[in-house]
């Protein structure tokens, strides 16, 4: 396959393009639009002229897209598909393969990125050890190790990722953060990079953000039909606060983005303040926190309120000042969406009170709280039921305190799930709708257990109950429910 320089030289020899046109096309190309595509879009060359240079240069016409089938519950169970042969193209970077000293390391790093994408990894860890650099890939929430990289390549590989992320390669004593964008096998990814000095050298962690894989369907995330019917009307309100709670890595940001997808339209001004911005959303003004220059959540939020917003997304409520501004915004004609770190939905009330937010403001502004956890799904290709005579069946019943006869399933292991029996994840949901009885309890400063009791009496399905329902449907395993969800009796 010819590179861009060879293509440009051949076209100029044919007098098909001028030097100025080549230079302009080189400036406009990106990971999403190749050099050849730019030339064609400007009309500087024809497909026939490209065929004379190389028949393979003419891009294929995209096939008509079929109508999308109904969404399937769970994320990450789809096949990645075969990556095309375009390799890895980093946005804003020229090819360095003419330099033999750099080409080998660049190729090695590109292969690491391709492996991470093919394995559906959300993160890639490059951990320095005494023997070498150990790559580990986080797949469906759990880390899996790759082959050990020789110790002599460690400095060059770390430096390569620091250069891509525009970090200081001479600074090895302090942690650093950066990001870069690249097309891997024809798919565009944003890579968030973090370095951390350790005993045997700098550890590098890359977060992979697939720009084409953002899920905006609530059912696909794990919402039941009943939860959707309750939650979607809340998103249609003109004011109030909606909170999503859960530990780090429980999918709160993904749920917020899906919620925004259900609220935004051309008639609304939607503004976000995030730390950091993970996905670019069409039709949404997104801003990011920069604490080093004093641009905090609270500072941004004050500025956003002067921008005539209809919907505001606050990445996280971390302190009293941010909580106070967000709640007052929800009381003055804005729909505010945000996250908190609490174990349950009713626990968000206690957390806000701990921030010294007055109970009357919480009762007046809060419309609903969504608590969630992520559990791994049983592989659909090798899912089988567990017979009651199997010892694992009795062990699973005892683990969750279930009665005999409860249907349980497991994955036998196949190539589709890399012989783990699990593939993909879905959310376990607890939806807390604030009604008059709950507002009275909040005003009276009842503790979280009493608020939980009132919420359940009002029809709230707890995380434990939703987990058991998804277990009954054969979507996940008893071990996963026990791992991430606390039983109602333990609350």
């Amino acid at each position: 396959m010819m590179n861009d320089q060879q293509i440009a030289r051949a076209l100029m020899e044919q007098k098909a393009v001028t030097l100025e046109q080549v230079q302009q096309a080189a400036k406009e190309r990106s990971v999403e639009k190749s050099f050849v595509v730019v030339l064609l879009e400007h009309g500087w060359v024809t497909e026939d002229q490209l065929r004379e240079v190389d028949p393979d240069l003419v891009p294929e016409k995209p096939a008509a897209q079929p109508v999308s089938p109904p969404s399937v519950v769970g994320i990450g169970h789809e096949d990645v598909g075969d990556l095309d042969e375009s390799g890895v193209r980093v946005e804003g970077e020229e090819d360095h393969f003419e330099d033999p000293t750099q080409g080998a390391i660049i190729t090695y790093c590109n292969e690491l990125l391709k492996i991470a994408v093919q394995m559906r990894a959300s993160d890639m860890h490059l951990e320095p050890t005494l023997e070498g650099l150990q790559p580990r890939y986080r797949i469906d929430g759990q880390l899996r190790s790759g082959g050990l990289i020789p110790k002599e390549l460690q400095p060059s590989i770390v430096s390569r990722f620091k250069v891509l992320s525009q970090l200081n390669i001479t600074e090895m004593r302090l942690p650093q953060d950066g990001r870069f964008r690249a097309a891997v096998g024809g798919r565009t990814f944003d890579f968030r990079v973090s370095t951390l000095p350790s005993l045997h050298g700098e550890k590098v962690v890359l977060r992979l953000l697939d720009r084409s894989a953002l899920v905006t369907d609530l059912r696909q995330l794990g919402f039941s039909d009943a939860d959707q019917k309750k939650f979607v009307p809340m998103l249609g309100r003109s004011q109030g606060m909606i909170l999503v709670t859960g530990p780090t890595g429980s999918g709160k940001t993904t749920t917020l983005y899906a919620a925004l997808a259900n609220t935004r339209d051309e008639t609304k001004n939607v503004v976000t303040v995030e730390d950091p911005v993970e996905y670019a959303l069409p039709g949404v003004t997104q801003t990011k926190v920069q604490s080093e220059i004093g641009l905090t959540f609270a500072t941004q939020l004050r500025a956003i309120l002067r921008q005539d917003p209809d919907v505001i997304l606050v990445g996280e409520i971390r302190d009293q000042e941010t909580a106070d501004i967000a709640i007052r915004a929800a009381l003055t004609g804005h729909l505010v969406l945000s996250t908190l770190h609490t174990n349950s939905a009713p626990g968000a009330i206690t957390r806000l009170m701990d921030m010294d937010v007055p109970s009357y403001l919480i009762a007046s502004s809060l419309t609903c709280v969504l608590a969630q956890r992520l559990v791994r799904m049983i592989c659909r290709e090798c899912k089988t039921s567990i017979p009651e005579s199997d010892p694992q069946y009795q062990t699973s019943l005892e683990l969750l305190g279930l009665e005999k006869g409860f249907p349980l399933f497991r994955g036998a292991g196949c190539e589709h799930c890399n012989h783990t029996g699990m593939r993909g994840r879905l959310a376990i949901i607890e939806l807390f709708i604030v009604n008059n009885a709950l507002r009275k309890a909040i005003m009276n400063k009842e503790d979280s257990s009493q608020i939980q009791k009132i919420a359940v009496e009002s029809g709230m399905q707890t995380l434990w109950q939703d987990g058991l329902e998804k277990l009954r449907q054969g979507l996940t395993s008893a071990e996963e429910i026990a791992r991430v969800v606390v039983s109602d009796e333990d609350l």
Side-chain angles (χ1 to χ4, degrees):
M1 187 75 175
M2 299 175 68
N3 61 33
D4 291 348
Q5 291 178 344
Q6 293 170 328
I7 295 170
R9 191 178 298 115
L11 289 171
M12 289 176 67
E13 288 174 356
Q14 290 183 359
K15 301 187 183 303
V17 293
T18 64
L19 177 61
E20 290 76 16
Q21 290 171 337
V22 168
Q23 291 173 337
Q24 183 62 31
K27 289 180 182 178
E28 294 182 19
R29 69 180 176 181
S30 66
V31 295
E32 297 169 332
K33 189 182 294 185
S34 69
F35 178 73
V36 169
V37 170
V38 174
L39 291 174
L40 286 169
E41 286 185 351
H42 281 290
W44 292 334
V45 296
T46 65
E47 291 186 357
D48 289 339
Q49 289 172 323
L50 288 174
R51 287 191 186 96
E52 289 180 17
V53 174
D54 186 343
D56 293 332
L57 288 179
V58 179
E60 294 182 1
K61 298 289 191 299
Q65 295 296 319
V67 178
S68 300
S71 61
V72 180
V73 176
I75 55 178
H77 52 77
E78 307 89 349
D79 282 324
V80 174
D82 294 331
L83 301 178
D84 65 29
E85 297 180 358
S86 61
V88 177
R89 292 173 57 89
V90 179
E91 188 173 87
E93 185 181 59
E94 300 293 335
D95 293 335
H96 293 290
F97 292 98
E98 296 176 0
D99 183 352
T101 62
Q102 291 292 319
I105 292 300
I106 292 174
T107 301
Y108 207 117
C109 292
N110 288 350
E111 285 302 313
L112 288 172
L113 296 179
K114 288 169 66 176
I115 291 170
V117 170
Q118 288 170 333
M119 294 180 71
R120 304 179 299 108
S122 61
D123 302 84
M124 178 173 69
H125 295 233
L126 298 175
E127 301 178 353
T129 67
L130 191 60
E131 295 78 20
L133 195 62
Q134 178 66 63
R136 298 210 290 165
Y137 306 92
R138 189 172 295 280
I139 304 164
D140 296 334
Q142 297 195 339
L143 285 171
R144 298 181 195 171
S145 296
L148 188 70
I149 299 171
K151 189 73 174 179
E152 58 268 21
L153 296 180
Q154 178 179 319
S156 298
I157 289 175
V158 171
S159 294
R160 167 63 179 165
F161 285 119
K162 290 174 75 172
V163 168
L164 289 178
S165 312
Q166 298 183 344
L167 304 181
N168 184 356
I169 63 172
T170 63
E171 179 57 76
M172 304 180 212
R173 303 164 300 169
L174 296 173
Q176 298 186 69
D177 296 297
R179 65 190 304 157
F180 67 93
R181 179 175 296 171
V184 182
R187 294 170 56 189
T188 304
F189 289 83
D190 286 326
F191 294 89
R192 278 179 21 209
V193 182
S194 172
T195 67
L196 180 70
S198 69
L199 182 62
H200 299 294
E202 288 183 281
K203 176 179 178 179
V204 181
V205 176
L206 293 86
R207 167 65 59 87
L208 285 71
L209 300 171
D210 187 348
R211 302 180 71 200
S212 64
L214 180 62
V215 178
T216 57
D217 187 334
L218 293 173
R219 184 177 183 277
Q220 189 176 350
L221 292 177
F223 279 68
S224 66
D225 292 339
D227 285 336
Q228 267 192 279
K229 288 179 181 178
K230 294 176 184 177
F231 187 59
V232 172
M234 298 290 134
L235 299 173
R237 295 188 177 186
S238 60
Q239 67 179 42
M241 175 178 280
I242 297 173
L243 294 176
V244 181
T245 74
T248 301
S250 59
K252 298 188 296 295
T253 300
T254 300
T255 299
L256 281 182
Y257 281 174
L260 275 187
N262 282 270
T263 61
R264 71 174 188 263
D265 59 48
E266 293 181 356
T267 67
K268 293 180 180 179
N269 177 22
V270 183
V271 188
T272 76
V273 50
E274 305 171 59
D275 184 23
V277 175
E278 293 196 0
Y279 291 96
L281 300 173
V284 177
T285 302
Q286 294 174 269
T287 67
K288 67 177 182 178
V289 169
Q290 299 183 70
S291 302
E292 63 275 10
I293 61 171
L295 197 59
T296 63
F297 276 110
T299 306
Q300 285 278 62
L301 200 45
R302 287 195 187 93
I304 288 171
L305 289 173
R306 296 191 289 271
Q307 292 282 312
D308 185 32
D310 296 296
V311 181
I312 303 171
L313 185 151
V314 183
E316 182 182 348
I317 294 178
R318 297 176 179 173
D319 52 49
Q320 178 186 354
E321 186 180 17
T322 306
D324 186 63
I325 299 171
I327 283 180
R328 293 183 187 278
L331 288 171
T332 54
H334 308 91
L335 180 65
V336 179
L337 292 80
S338 190
T339 69
L340 272 179
H341 288 280
T342 64
N343 290 329
S344 65
I349 310 298
T350 307
R351 181 76 184 94
L352 290 172
M353 288 182 179
D354 289 343
M355 292 181 180
D356 294 326
V357 178
S359 59
Y360 69 90
L361 288 180
I362 300 172
S364 303
S365 62
L366 196 62
T367 57
C368 75
V369 183
L370 178 73
Q372 70 178 55
R373 303 287 189 277
L374 288 180
V375 294
R376 293 186 301 159
M377 297 179 65
I378 297 173
C379 176
R380 292 175 182 154
E381 300 297 320
C382 60
K383 182 173 76 172
T384 61
S385 60
I386 305 177
E388 295 185 11
S389 58
D390 192 309
Q392 184 185 347
Y393 181 84
Q394 187 59 38
T395 302
S396 298
L397 289 184
E398 293 173 357
L399 185 64
L400 300 180
L402 302 175
E403 296 182 357
K404 192 172 183 178
F406 194 99
L408 294 175
F409 300 84
R410 65 185 170 199
C414 64
E415 291 184 1
H416 190 67
C417 61
N418 200 24
H419 301 284
T420 62
M422 311 295 285
R423 184 182 173 102
R425 292 192 289 176
L426 83 160
I428 303 296
I429 301 295
E430 178 177 277
L431 184 58
F432 172 92
I433 304 293
V434 181
N435 56 24
N436 289 332
L438 287 165
R439 287 192 180 90
K440 184 176 179 180
I442 295 169
M443 289 286 289
N444 293 335
K445 299 183 179 180
E446 300 282 1
D447 60 28
S448 59
S449 60
Q450 182 62 27
I451 292 175
Q452 169 107 359
K453 181 180 177 182
I454 297 172
V456 171
E457 291 172 352
S458 301
M460 182 186 80
Q461 183 170 258
T462 64
L463 285 168
W464 176 252
Q465 292 169 336
D466 191 49
L468 292 184
E469 180 57 33
K470 289 181 168 69
L471 180 65
R472 187 188 303 275
Q473 295 172 14
L475 297 174
T476 188
S477 67
E479 290 74 20
E480 280 295 295
I481 299 298
R483 181 176 65 86
V484 302
V485 184
V486 178
S487 72
D488 293 341
E489 289 75 16
D490 293 334
L491 292 174

